[in-house]
């Protein structure tokens, strides 16, 4: 199994965002872009213009996590712009599978995000429509929150379902992922990890990414 490390640019220096993304090229697998609209979540970050600028500045695949209202209207635009993966929240969509079809048709992988207080069960049957399942290990909307271990039960549940159905889908975790928690998430069955300060808080970003990947691999091998 391959493991994806996706540093979150929410922890980067916004004044030098393109340089901050380029600083993880060659080490990270994806750059994670948290798009917040101050409606679905009480915070405001990036939008499509910033994503377009980053796409022109880096070769690193952009993993766009849309914490926004009305993803049916907005999500395909991120795919059309060239994002590698576009993830939106189940809680914000009336028909997640239809939104996923539109994202894929626009040229991107499609991801479904499940927030802290949302049960996974109602969405298991539509997972074949997606390429990524993003399970929040915090409450969506703010960086720097503490990891909630109990939410790994959803990761375990998802991994069992994916294995039983022979589905081709990544299970991504987002929230409080660092050297102390990435092993727990990998043991539970995650294979993609969003890390913010654990990468951007270090002087050597490449070494931080490599260390996180090694910890995930070691934990998974002991599972």
């Amino acid at each position: 199994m391959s493991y994806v490390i996706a540093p979150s640019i929410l922890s980067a220096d916004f004044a030098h965002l393109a340089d901050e993304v380029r600083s993880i090229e060659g080490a990270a697998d994806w750059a994670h872009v948290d798009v917040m609209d101050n409606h679905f979540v009480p915070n405001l970050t990036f939008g499509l213009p910033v994503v377009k600028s980053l796409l022109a500045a880096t070769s690193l695949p952009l993993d766009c996590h849309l914490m926004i209202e009305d993803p049916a209207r907005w999500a395909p635009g991120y795919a059309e712009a060239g994002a590698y993966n576009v993830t939106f929240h189940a809680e914000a969509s009336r028909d997640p599978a239809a939104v996923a079809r539109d994202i894929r048709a626009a040229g991107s992988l499609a991801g479904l995000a499940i927030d802290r207080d949302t049960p996974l069960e109602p969405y298991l049957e539509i997972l074949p429509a997606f390429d990524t399942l993003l399970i929040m290990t915090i409450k969506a909307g703010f960086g720097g929150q503490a990891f909630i271990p109990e939410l790994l039960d959803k990761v375990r549940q998802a991994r069992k379902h994916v294995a039983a159905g022979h589905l081709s889908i990544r299970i991504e975790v987002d929230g409080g992922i660092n050297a102390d928690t990435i092993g727990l998430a990998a043991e539970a069955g995650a294979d993609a990890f969003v890390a913010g300060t654990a990468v951007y808080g270090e002087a050597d970003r490449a070494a931080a990414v490599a260390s996180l990947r090694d910890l995930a691999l070691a934990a998974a091998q002991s599972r």
Side-chain angles (χ1 to χ4, degrees):
M1 179 183 292
S2 63
Y3 289 87
V4 166
I5 306 297
S8 171
I9 65 171
L10 194 62
S11 298
D13 179 355
F14 291 0
H16 305 94
L17 203 50
D19 289 337
E20 291 281 79
V21 173
R22 284 193 288 263
S23 75
I24 58 172
E25 289 179 354
D29 301 282
W30 304 340
H32 188 81
V33 183
D34 289 303
V35 177
M36 305 184 196
D37 65 357
N38 198 31
H39 294 285
F40 178 70
V41 292
N43 204 349
L44 183 66
T45 58
F46 317 104
L48 187 54
V50 171
V51 169
K52 288 179 176 178
S53 295
L54 290 176
L55 285 165
T58 182
S59 60
L60 198 59
L62 297 190
D63 177 34
C64 294
H65 176 192
L66 308 186
M67 288 171 267
I68 64 173
E69 292 182 348
D70 200 6
R73 177 180 179 184
W74 300 111
Y78 289 83
E80 291 166 0
Y84 176 75
N85 187 65
V86 178
T87 296
F88 62 95
H89 272 262
E91 304 85 5
S93 176
R94 296 179 181 177
D95 190 347
V99 179
R101 285 194 296 271
D102 290 343
I103 290 171
R104 284 174 162 179
S108 173
L109 300 182
L112 181 69
I114 303 293
D115 205 356
R116 180 191 65 188
D117 301 324
T118 301
L120 180 60
E121 290 86 349
Y123 303 100
L124 291 174
E125 65 180 22
I126 64 169
L127 288 186
F130 292 89
D131 304 286
T132 306
L133 173 65
L134 174 60
I135 295 175
M136 298 300 301
T137 44
I138 58 171
K139 175 66 177 173
F142 296 93
Q145 297 180 63
F147 178 83
I148 304 173
E150 293 79 9
L151 295 177
L152 293 179
D153 287 342
K154 293 181 187 178
V155 176
R156 297 182 186 97
Q157 182 183 12
R159 178 54 62 194
K160 289 180 181 178
H161 184 81
V162 167
H166 303 287
L167 302 180
S168 178
I169 184 171
R170 282 204 176 274
I171 300 175
E172 186 174 11
V173 286
D174 182 3
I177 298 299
N178 55 37
D180 295 324
T181 60
I182 193 168
L184 298 173
E187 287 174 2
D191 58 9
F193 309 90
V194 178
T197 55
V199 173
Y200 278 109
E202 300 295 325
D204 189 335
R205 278 79 181 270
V209 169
S211 177
L212 289 171
R213 195 189 315 279
D214 288 345
L215 288 168
L217 285 167
Q221 289 168 358
S222 67
R223 190 170 60 196

